[in-house]
Amino acid sequence: MTHFQLRFAVPSRRAALTLATLITFSAILGATPARAQDVTTEFPDYYPGDIVVITGGGFWPGERISLRLDQHPTFHDPYVFYSTADSAGAFRNADYTVEDQDLGTSFDLIATGLSSGLVATAFFTDSPKVGSVTVVPSGGEMCNNDGGSVTYTVTVNRGSGSGSNGSFTTNLSVTSALPAGVSATFSPNSVSFTSSQDSRTATLTLSASGAVAAGSTGFTVRALTSASDFATGTELLTVHQLPTVTAPAPITRNNDAGKCGAVVTFAATATGNPTPTLSYSPASGTLFPVGTTTVTATATNSCGSASTTFTVTVIDNEKPAITVSDLTRSTDAGLCAATITSLGATASDNCTVSSLVGTRSDAAALSAAFPKGTTTVTWVATDNHGNTATATQLVTVVDTEMPTVTPPAGLNLVTGAGASTCGLVVSDAALGTAAGHDNCSVTVQRTGVPAGNLFPVGTTTVTYTATDGSGNTASATQMVTVADTTPPVAKIQTVMIEST
C-alpha cells in the first residue's frame, strides 16, 4: 500500500473543502484492488424469463461499474446496466431478464470500471429448450381416388445448451398448408420432457376420407414451448395415384406360316403412383386364333386397378395345299376305258379344308370310267376362310389288251380238168374275210396272197393281222391248198428227118 503524509492548516472554509478533497484523493490512491478484475455469470446459458446474475471483482472499491451486453446476432441495441463496487472491489447485478427475442443468441458481457478504467469480459448464451425436430414416414397410404391415411414418427430433441435443462412441454402442429381434404392429428399432441429425457416421440397421422389431389406436398411440423422457443422439421406427403391405362391401337396380323393363328405381342401404357403393373387377358406373346379377339389390359397398383380393351385380328391368308400325282392305268378287260375308284388327291390347310373338288376335262363325273388316252383333272381346294388353291392331275389310260383275229377257214382246191395253169386263181370272196376283235378298235390286214390271187399247186399260207388303235397286234393264218387234178394232154408233133 502506498502511504502519503499530508500536513496542512485550515485557515478558512474554502481551505477546509480543499482539504477534504485531498483526503478523499489520498484514500483512493491508497486503495489497492485485492485481485485482478473479473466478471462472470451465474450460468453459462439461460432461457427466456431467466434472470442473469452477474458478479465480478478486482475493481476499485466504491467505483461505479458499467455492464454492457452485446447480442449476437443482433436483434436489439446493447443493454447497459450499472453496479457499484463494494469495499473489496466486488459487485453483484441481477438487472437483466432474458427476453423471448434473445432465444438462440449469445451475449458478450463487458464490465468497465468507470473510475479505474479496468475491463473484464464474459460470455453467455440463451439456448432454446427445443433443439430439433425430425419427421420420418412410418406407414399407411393415401390415394387420390379414396383418400386413406399416412403416419409419421415425429421426434423432438432437447436443445444442447444449459438453458434447455429441466422439464418442459412442447406443443406439436403442422404449420404449412396441406392438400384440400387432408387433416393432421398428433398422438400425443403435447410432448413432455422430464429432466432426464433428451428426446420424445409422437405419431402424426395425415388422413383424408375422400378423393384428394395426387402428388407430393411438403409440410412442416413445429414443436413449440413459447412464441420464440420452437424447432421445425419437414417431410413430404405423397398422395398416390390410381392407375390409368391406355390401350394400343387395334392390331391386325396375318397368320403365322402353318398356323391357324399368329403369335402377337403388344404393350399398353399405364400411369400411376406407385408404378402400376400391367397384365393382359389373353397374354401378350400367345397364339391368337384367326378372327378377332378382344384383349383386356389391366393396370394395378396399391391404390387399385383400371382396365381397357382393344382387339387383335388375325387374318388367314394362307392357301390350302393340294397333294396329287399323275396316274397311268390300263384299260379294264374288254373295255376301252378304266374305272378308277380313287384318284388319290388330298388337300391340307393351316386351318380347315372346306372342300376339294375335281373337274375332268371330258366333263364326265369323277366316278365315271376314264377313256383310253389322257384326261386332265383340275382340283380346287377351298379352306374355311375362303382361300383357294388349284392343281392338275393327268389320268392316262393305256390299251394293253391284245386284239383277236379269226381267219377264214382253210381251202383245199383242185386245178380241175382243162386247167391251163399249174395253179388256181382264188377270188377274195372265195378266200373269205377274217374277223378281228378288240376292246377299242381294230383293223385286219391280209398278207401272203399271190399276185393276181393265183395260188400255185401246193399249200399257200395267208396271214391275217389284227392291229388295234394302240398298236397291239394279233395274227392268224389261213391255209390254201391247190391240188393238181388236171390230166396231161399229149401233143403230137410231126418231125421231119432228112437223110444224108
Side-chain angles (χ1 to χ4, degrees), residues 18-414:
T18 302
L19 177 61
T21 301
L22 290 173
I23 292 171
T24 301
F25 179 70
S26 174
I28 293 173
L29 290 176
T32 300
R35 67 184 190 216
Q37 72 274 13
D38 62 73
V39 68
T40 187
T41 57
E42 184 180 11
F43 302 109
D45 186 79
Y46 292 88
Y47 188 71
D50 292 342
I51 297 174
V52 180
V53 178
I54 304 171
T55 58
F59 292 87
W60 286 0
E63 77 170 316
R64 189 170 175 80
I65 299 169
S66 166
L67 301 173
R68 176 187 172 112
L69 298 178
D70 287 341
Q71 186 185 42
H72 305 287
T74 301
F75 294 116
H76 53 71
D77 293 335
Y79 291 113
V80 180
F81 306 95
Y82 295 94
S83 287
T84 302
D86 61 14
S87 60
F91 69 90
R92 182 179 184 277
N93 182 282
D95 292 341
Y96 181 62
T97 300
V98 177
E99 301 174 352
D100 283 344
Q101 63 181 342
D102 297 332
L103 193 68
T105 65
S106 61
F107 290 89
D108 290 326
L109 169 59
I110 305 168
T112 304
L114 298 182
S115 297
S116 64
L118 297 174
V119 177
T121 61
F123 176 83
F124 67 92
T125 59
D126 180 9
S127 300
K129 293 184 183 299
V130 181
S132 62
V133 175
T134 60
V135 185
V136 178
S138 58
E141 183 180 35
M142 189 177 294
C143 294
N144 67 325
N145 58 315
D146 58 2
S149 62
V150 182
T151 58
Y152 301 82
T153 299
V154 178
T155 302
V156 181
N157 299 299
R158 181 190 294 274
S160 59
S162 60
S164 64
N165 293 332
S167 300
F168 61 91
T169 298
T170 66
N171 293 318
L172 300 175
S173 62
V174 174
T175 60
S176 55
L178 294 171
V182 177
S183 60
T185 57
F186 291 91
S187 178
N189 178 266
S190 297
V191 178
S192 297
F193 283 75
T194 64
S195 59
S196 62
Q197 293 173 320
D198 291 329
S199 65
R200 298 286 286 159
T201 61
T203 298
L204 165 63
T205 301
L206 300 181
S207 58
S209 59
V212 62
S216 294
T217 302
F219 63 91
T220 300
V221 173
R222 182 177 66 183
L224 177 144
T225 63
S226 68
S228 58
D229 182 13
F230 62 87
T232 60
T234 60
E235 189 47 69
L236 288 177
L237 166 64
T238 298
V239 179
H240 289 164
Q241 181 181 5
L242 181 73
T244 60
V245 59
T246 302
I251 298 171
T252 300
R253 295 285 187 273
N254 290 328
N255 68 288
D256 294 340
K259 302 291 185 181
C260 194
V263 174
V264 182
T265 58
F266 41 76
T269 57
T271 59
N273 183 21
T275 300
T277 57
L278 280 165
S279 60
Y280 306 95
S281 179
S284 174
T286 56
L287 182 69
F288 282 75
V290 171
T292 298
T293 301
T294 298
V295 179
T296 301
T298 302
T300 304
N301 67 7
S302 55
C303 287
S305 62
S307 297
T308 187
T309 60
F310 60 97
T311 58
V312 173
T313 300
V314 178
I315 298 173
D316 177 20
N317 67 346
E318 187 170 334
K319 295 180 178 182
I322 299 174
T323 301
V324 68
S325 298
D326 293 341
L327 298 178
T328 298
R329 295 287 186 269
S330 295
T331 53
D332 295 340
L335 298 175
C336 193
T339 300
I340 303 175
T341 57
S342 174
L343 297 176
T346 60
S348 61
D349 190 64
N350 58 312
C351 291
T352 301
V353 176
S354 296
S355 64
L356 177 63
V357 177
T359 302
R360 286 170 44 160
S361 56
D362 61 359
L366 288 179
S367 59
F370 283 80
K372 186 191 74 169
T374 298
T375 301
T376 298
V377 180
T378 299
W379 295 97
V380 177
T382 303
D383 67 15
N384 59 326
H385 299 119
N387 299 301
T388 62
T390 302
T392 57
Q393 180 183 28
L394 299 179
V395 178
T396 301
V397 176
V398 294
D399 179 14
T400 59
E401 186 173 335
M402 296 297 181
T404 61
V405 59
T406 302
L411 298 176
N412 291 304
L413 303 173
V414 295

